[in-house]
PDB file of all heavy atoms in Angstrom:
ATOM      1  N   ALA A  25      -2.403  17.601   5.905  1.00 98.00           N
ATOM      2  CA  ALA A  25      -2.875  18.182   4.645  1.00 98.00           C
ATOM      3  C   ALA A  25      -1.789  18.110   3.579  1.00 98.00           C
ATOM      4  O   ALA A  25      -2.082  17.896   2.390  1.00 98.00           O
ATOM      5  CB  ALA A  25      -3.300  19.634   4.861  1.00 98.00           C
ATOM      6  N   THR A  26      -0.534  18.260   3.985  1.00 98.00           N
ATOM      7  CA  THR A  26       0.571  18.221   3.026  1.00 98.00           C
ATOM      8  C   THR A  26       0.757  16.820   2.461  1.00 98.00           C
ATOM      9  O   THR A  26       0.998  16.644   1.251  1.00 98.00           O
ATOM     10  CB  THR A  26       1.866  18.702   3.695  1.00 98.00           C
ATOM     11  OG1 THR A  26       1.668  20.038   4.195  1.00 98.00           O
ATOM     12  CG2 THR A  26       3.024  18.707   2.712  1.00 98.00           C
ATOM     13  N   ILE A  27       0.641  15.816   3.305  1.00 98.00           N
ATOM     14  CA  ILE A  27       0.755  14.435   2.832  1.00 98.00           C
ATOM     15  C   ILE A  27      -0.384  14.103   1.885  1.00 98.00           C
ATOM     16  O   ILE A  27      -0.195  13.436   0.850  1.00 98.00           O
ATOM     17  CB  ILE A  27       0.787  13.464   4.031  1.00 98.00           C
ATOM     18  CG1 ILE A  27       2.102  13.649   4.814  1.00 98.00           C
ATOM     19  CG2 ILE A  27       0.658  12.019   3.568  1.00 98.00           C
ATOM     20  CD1 ILE A  27       2.142  12.909   6.126  1.00 98.00           C
ATOM     21  N   ALA A  28      -1.591  14.579   2.205  1.00 98.00           N
ATOM     22  CA  ALA A  28      -2.732  14.366   1.305  1.00 98.00           C
ATOM     23  C   ALA A  28      -2.489  15.041  -0.040  1.00 98.00           C
ATOM     24  O   ALA A  28      -2.793  14.483  -1.102  1.00 98.00           O
ATOM     25  CB  ALA A  28      -4.012  14.890   1.951  1.00 98.00           C
ATOM     26  N   ALA A  29      -1.929  16.252  -0.009  1.00 98.00           N
ATOM     27  CA  ALA A  29      -1.623  16.959  -1.254  1.00 98.00           C
ATOM     28  C   ALA A  29      -0.561  16.205  -2.044  1.00 98.00           C
ATOM     29  O   ALA A  29      -0.634  16.123  -3.273  1.00 98.00           O
ATOM     30  CB  ALA A  29      -1.148  18.376  -0.943  1.00 98.00           C
ATOM     31  N   ARG A  30       0.432  15.652  -1.360  1.00 98.00           N
ATOM     32  CA  ARG A  30       1.478  14.896  -2.041  1.00 98.00           C
ATOM     33  C   ARG A  30       0.885  13.702  -2.783  1.00 98.00           C
ATOM     34  O   ARG A  30       1.258  13.401  -3.926  1.00 98.00           O
ATOM     35  CB  ARG A  30       2.526  14.433  -1.018  1.00 98.00           C
ATOM     36  CG  ARG A  30       3.688  13.655  -1.642  1.00 98.00           C
ATOM     37  CD  ARG A  30       4.689  13.203  -0.589  1.00 98.00           C
ATOM     38  NE  ARG A  30       5.763  12.436  -1.202  1.00 98.00           N
ATOM     39  CZ  ARG A  30       6.890  12.952  -1.671  1.00 98.00           C
ATOM     40  NH1 ARG A  30       7.089  14.256  -1.597  1.00 98.00           N
ATOM     41  NH2 ARG A  30       7.815  12.193  -2.230  1.00 98.00           N
ATOM     42  N   LYS A  31      -0.035  12.993  -2.152  1.00 98.00           N
ATOM     43  CA  LYS A  31      -0.677  11.849  -2.798  1.00 98.00           C
ATOM     44  C   LYS A  31      -1.459  12.287  -4.031  1.00 98.00           C
ATOM     45  O   LYS A  31      -1.435  11.609  -5.069  1.00 98.00           O
ATOM     46  CB  LYS A  31      -1.587  11.133  -1.806  1.00 98.00           C
ATOM     47  CG  LYS A  31      -0.848  10.431  -0.671  1.00 98.00           C
ATOM     48  CD  LYS A  31      -1.820   9.769   0.298  1.00 98.00           C
ATOM     49  CE  LYS A  31      -1.082   9.054   1.416  1.00 98.00           C
ATOM     50  NZ  LYS A  31      -2.011   8.454   2.401  1.00 98.00           N
ATOM     51  N   SER A  32      -2.141  13.423  -3.922  1.00 98.00           N
ATOM     52  CA  SER A  32      -2.893  13.942  -5.058  1.00 98.00           C
ATOM     53  C   SER A  32      -1.967  14.334  -6.196  1.00 98.00           C
ATOM     54  O   SER A  32      -2.247  14.065  -7.369  1.00 98.00           O
ATOM     55  CB  SER A  32      -3.724  15.155  -4.619  1.00 98.00           C
ATOM     56  OG  SER A  32      -4.433  15.713  -5.699  1.00 98.00           O
ATOM     57  N   ILE A  33      -0.837  14.956  -5.863  1.00 98.00           N
ATOM     58  CA  ILE A  33       0.151  15.328  -6.878  1.00 98.00           C
ATOM     59  C   ILE A  33       0.705  14.081  -7.556  1.00 98.00           C
ATOM     60  O   ILE A  33       0.900  14.048  -8.778  1.00 98.00           O
ATOM     61  CB  ILE A  33       1.277  16.165  -6.244  1.00 98.00           C
ATOM     62  CG1 ILE A  33       0.729  17.524  -5.790  1.00 98.00           C
ATOM     63  CG2 ILE A  33       2.443  16.355  -7.214  1.00 98.00           C
ATOM     64  CD1 ILE A  33       1.655  18.301  -4.873  1.00 98.00           C
ATOM     65  N   THR A  34       0.949  13.039  -6.783  1.00 98.00           N
ATOM     66  CA  THR A  34       1.459  11.787  -7.346  1.00 98.00           C
ATOM     67  C   THR A  34       0.483  11.202  -8.359  1.00 98.00           C
ATOM     68  O   THR A  34       0.881  10.724  -9.431  1.00 98.00           O
ATOM     69  CB  THR A  34       1.723  10.761  -6.225  1.00 98.00           C
ATOM     70  OG1 THR A  34       2.720  11.292  -5.335  1.00 98.00           O
ATOM     71  CG2 THR A  34       2.217   9.440  -6.797  1.00 98.00           C
ATOM     72  N   ARG A  35      -0.794  11.249  -8.043  1.00 98.00           N
ATOM     73  CA  ARG A  35      -1.806  10.706  -8.961  1.00 98.00           C
ATOM     74  C   ARG A  35      -1.835  11.471 -10.280  1.00 98.00           C
ATOM     75  O   ARG A  35      -2.137  10.889 -11.327  1.00 98.00           O
ATOM     76  CB  ARG A  35      -3.188  10.747  -8.303  1.00 98.00           C
ATOM     77  CG  ARG A  35      -3.379   9.728  -7.181  1.00 98.00           C
ATOM     78  CD  ARG A  35      -4.845   9.594  -6.808  1.00 98.00           C
ATOM     79  NE  ARG A  35      -5.382  10.825  -6.257  1.00 98.00           N
ATOM     80  CZ  ARG A  35      -5.377  11.129  -4.954  1.00 98.00           C
ATOM     81  NH1 ARG A  35      -4.841  10.274  -4.078  1.00 98.00           N
ATOM     82  NH2 ARG A  35      -5.891  12.261  -4.511  1.00 98.00           N
ATOM     83  N   ARG A  36      -1.509  12.751 -10.238  1.00 98.00           N
ATOM     84  CA  ARG A  36      -1.545  13.573 -11.451  1.00 98.00           C
ATOM     85  C   ARG A  36      -0.239  13.504 -12.244  1.00 98.00           C
ATOM     86  O   ARG A  36      -0.175  13.994 -13.359  1.00 98.00           O
ATOM     87  CB  ARG A  36      -1.817  15.034 -11.082  1.00 98.00           C
ATOM     88  CG  ARG A  36      -3.185  15.308 -10.462  1.00 98.00           C
ATOM     89  CD  ARG A  36      -3.362  16.805 -10.292  1.00 98.00           C
ATOM     90  NE  ARG A  36      -4.672  17.150  -9.780  1.00 98.00           N
ATOM     91  CZ  ARG A  36      -4.908  17.515  -8.518  1.00 98.00           C
ATOM     92  NH1 ARG A  36      -3.910  17.564  -7.653  1.00 98.00           N
ATOM     93  NH2 ARG A  36      -6.123  17.827  -8.128  1.00 98.00           N
ATOM     94  N   SER A  37       0.791  12.928 -11.662  1.00 98.00           N
ATOM     95  CA  SER A  37       2.129  12.984 -12.256  1.00 98.00           C
ATOM     96  C   SER A  37       2.329  11.930 -13.336  1.00 98.00           C
ATOM     97  O   SER A  37       1.801  10.818 -13.250  1.00 98.00           O
ATOM     98  CB  SER A  37       3.191  12.809 -11.167  1.00 98.00           C
ATOM     99  OG  SER A  37       3.135  13.867 -10.229  1.00 98.00           O
ATOM    100  N   THR A  38       3.118  12.294 -14.329  1.00 98.00           N
ATOM    101  CA  THR A  38       3.526  11.354 -15.378  1.00 98.00           C
ATOM    102  C   THR A  38       5.041  11.186 -15.411  1.00 98.00           C
ATOM    103  O   THR A  38       5.553  10.357 -16.156  1.00 98.00           O
ATOM    104  CB  THR A  38       3.041  11.837 -16.760  1.00 98.00           C
ATOM    105  OG1 THR A  38       3.638  13.116 -17.045  1.00 98.00           O
ATOM    106  CG2 THR A  38       1.522  11.965 -16.798  1.00 98.00           C
ATOM    107  N   VAL A  39       5.746  12.004 -14.620  1.00 98.00           N
ATOM    108  CA  VAL A  39       7.204  11.955 -14.542  1.00 98.00           C
ATOM    109  C   VAL A  39       7.592  11.670 -13.096  1.00 98.00           C
ATOM    110  O   VAL A  39       7.001  12.227 -12.163  1.00 98.00           O
ATOM    111  CB  VAL A  39       7.841  13.284 -15.003  1.00 98.00           C
ATOM    112  CG1 VAL A  39       9.357  13.203 -14.957  1.00 98.00           C
ATOM    113  CG2 VAL A  39       7.358  13.658 -16.395  1.00 98.00           C
ATOM    114  N   ARG A  40       8.578  10.793 -12.895  1.00 98.00           N
ATOM    115  CA  ARG A  40       9.005  10.456 -11.542  1.00 98.00           C
ATOM    116  C   ARG A  40       9.632  11.673 -10.850  1.00 98.00           C
ATOM    117  O   ARG A  40      10.335  12.472 -11.477  1.00 98.00           O
ATOM    118  CB  ARG A  40      10.014   9.314 -11.571  1.00 98.00           C
ATOM    119  CG  ARG A  40       9.444   7.966 -11.982  1.00 98.00           C
ATOM    120  CD  ARG A  40      10.502   6.876 -11.869  1.00 98.00           C
ATOM    121  NE  ARG A  40      11.681   7.156 -12.691  1.00 98.00           N
ATOM    122  CZ  ARG A  40      12.844   7.557 -12.196  1.00 98.00           C
ATOM    123  NH1 ARG A  40      13.001   7.726 -10.870  1.00 98.00           N
ATOM    124  NH2 ARG A  40      13.865   7.782 -13.006  1.00 98.00           N
ATOM    125  N   ARG A  41       9.371  11.782  -9.552  1.00 98.00           N
ATOM    126  CA  ARG A  41       9.934  12.888  -8.777  1.00 98.00           C
ATOM    127  C   ARG A  41      11.465  12.890  -8.868  1.00 98.00           C
ATOM    128  O   ARG A  41      12.093  13.936  -8.992  1.00 98.00           O
ATOM    129  CB  ARG A  41       9.504  12.782  -7.320  1.00 98.00           C
ATOM    130  CG  ARG A  41       8.020  12.924  -7.083  1.00 98.00           C
ATOM    131  CD  ARG A  41       7.666  12.631  -5.631  1.00 98.00           C
ATOM    132  NE  ARG A  41       6.233  12.508  -5.455  1.00 98.00           N
ATOM    133  CZ  ARG A  41       5.402  13.512  -5.191  1.00 98.00           C
ATOM    134  NH1 ARG A  41       5.896  14.728  -5.070  1.00 98.00           N
ATOM    135  NH2 ARG A  41       4.104  13.314  -5.046  1.00 98.00           N
ATOM    136  N   GLY A  42      12.051  11.695  -8.780  1.00 98.00           N
ATOM    137  CA  GLY A  42      13.500  11.598  -8.837  1.00 98.00           C
ATOM    138  C   GLY A  42      14.069  12.080 -10.150  1.00 98.00           C
ATOM    139  O   GLY A  42      15.154  12.669 -10.196  1.00 98.00           O
ATOM    140  N   ALA A  43      13.348  11.841 -11.236  1.00 98.00           N
ATOM    141  CA  ALA A  43      13.823  12.275 -12.545  1.00 98.00           C
ATOM    142  C   ALA A  43      13.805  13.798 -12.657  1.00 98.00           C
ATOM    143  O   ALA A  43      14.750  14.404 -13.201  1.00 98.00           O
ATOM    144  CB  ALA A  43      12.959  11.645 -13.639  1.00 98.00           C
ATOM    145  N   VAL A  44      12.762  14.432 -12.153  1.00 98.00           N
ATOM    146  CA  VAL A  44      12.702  15.895 -12.187  1.00 98.00           C
ATOM    147  C   VAL A  44      13.798  16.486 -11.301  1.00 98.00           C
ATOM    148  O   VAL A  44      14.510  17.414 -11.704  1.00 98.00           O
ATOM    149  CB  VAL A  44      11.311  16.382 -11.719  1.00 98.00           C
ATOM    150  CG1 VAL A  44      11.305  17.901 -11.565  1.00 98.00           C
ATOM    151  CG2 VAL A  44      10.231  15.945 -12.701  1.00 98.00           C
ATOM    152  N   TRP A  45      13.961  15.908 -10.115  1.00 98.00           N
ATOM    153  CA  TRP A  45      14.989  16.404  -9.192  1.00 98.00           C
ATOM    154  C   TRP A  45      16.383  16.290  -9.803  1.00 98.00           C
ATOM    155  O   TRP A  45      17.170  17.244  -9.794  1.00 98.00           O
ATOM    156  CB  TRP A  45      14.904  15.623  -7.886  1.00 98.00           C
ATOM    157  CG  TRP A  45      15.937  16.018  -6.875  1.00 98.00           C
ATOM    158  CD1 TRP A  45      17.117  15.410  -6.608  1.00 98.00           C
ATOM    159  CD2 TRP A  45      15.879  17.138  -5.982  1.00 98.00           C
ATOM    160  NE1 TRP A  45      17.812  16.064  -5.605  1.00 98.00           N
ATOM    161  CE2 TRP A  45      17.066  17.126  -5.215  1.00 98.00           C
ATOM    162  CE3 TRP A  45      14.933  18.148  -5.767  1.00 98.00           C
ATOM    163  CZ2 TRP A  45      17.316  18.092  -4.229  1.00 98.00           C
ATOM    164  CZ3 TRP A  45      15.200  19.113  -4.782  1.00 98.00           C
ATOM    165  CH2 TRP A  45      16.363  19.070  -4.039  1.00 98.00           C
ATOM    166  N   ALA A  46      16.689  15.128 -10.349  1.00 97.00           N
ATOM    167  CA  ALA A  46      18.019  14.906 -10.921  1.00 97.00           C
ATOM    168  C   ALA A  46      18.281  15.819 -12.108  1.00 97.00           C
ATOM    169  O   ALA A  46      19.396  16.327 -12.301  1.00 97.00           O
ATOM    170  CB  ALA A  46      18.169  13.439 -11.337  1.00 97.00           C
ATOM    171  N   ALA A  47      17.258  16.030 -12.918  1.00 97.00           N
ATOM    172  CA  ALA A  47      17.435  16.838 -14.125  1.00 97.00           C
ATOM    173  C   ALA A  47      17.739  18.297 -13.810  1.00 97.00           C
ATOM    174  O   ALA A  47      18.503  18.963 -14.525  1.00 97.00           O
ATOM    175  CB  ALA A  47      16.189  16.740 -15.008  1.00 97.00           C
ATOM    176  N   TRP A  48      17.167  18.828 -12.729  1.00 97.00           N
ATOM    177  CA  TRP A  48      17.270  20.260 -12.489  1.00 97.00           C
ATOM    178  C   TRP A  48      18.219  20.658 -11.383  1.00 97.00           C
ATOM    179  O   TRP A  48      18.663  21.805 -11.333  1.00 97.00           O
ATOM    180  CB  TRP A  48      15.872  20.844 -12.252  1.00 97.00           C
ATOM    181  CG  TRP A  48      15.086  20.829 -13.516  1.00 97.00           C
ATOM    182  CD1 TRP A  48      14.176  19.910 -13.904  1.00 97.00           C
ATOM    183  CD2 TRP A  48      15.223  21.743 -14.598  1.00 97.00           C
ATOM    184  NE1 TRP A  48      13.718  20.204 -15.174  1.00 97.00           N
ATOM    185  CE2 TRP A  48      14.339  21.332 -15.615  1.00 97.00           C
ATOM    186  CE3 TRP A  48      15.992  22.897 -14.810  1.00 97.00           C
ATOM    187  CZ2 TRP A  48      14.211  22.030 -16.816  1.00 97.00           C
ATOM    188  CZ3 TRP A  48      15.872  23.588 -15.994  1.00 97.00           C
ATOM    189  CH2 TRP A  48      14.977  23.146 -16.991  1.00 97.00           C
TER     190      TRP A  48
END
């Protein structure tokens, strides 16, 4: 279920995960 949620979150995203992680 978590992997499925991750895919859904990716589809909704406009900013790369790495960019958010690095920024904060």
Side-chain angles (χ1 to χ4, degrees):
T26 302
I27 292 171
R30 181 181 178 90
K31 292 179 179 178
S32 178
I33 293 167
T34 299
R35 288 194 296 270
R36 295 186 177 104
S37 297
T38 61
V39 182
R40 291 185 302 106
R41 296 173 191 272
V44 172
W45 178 262
W48 290 98

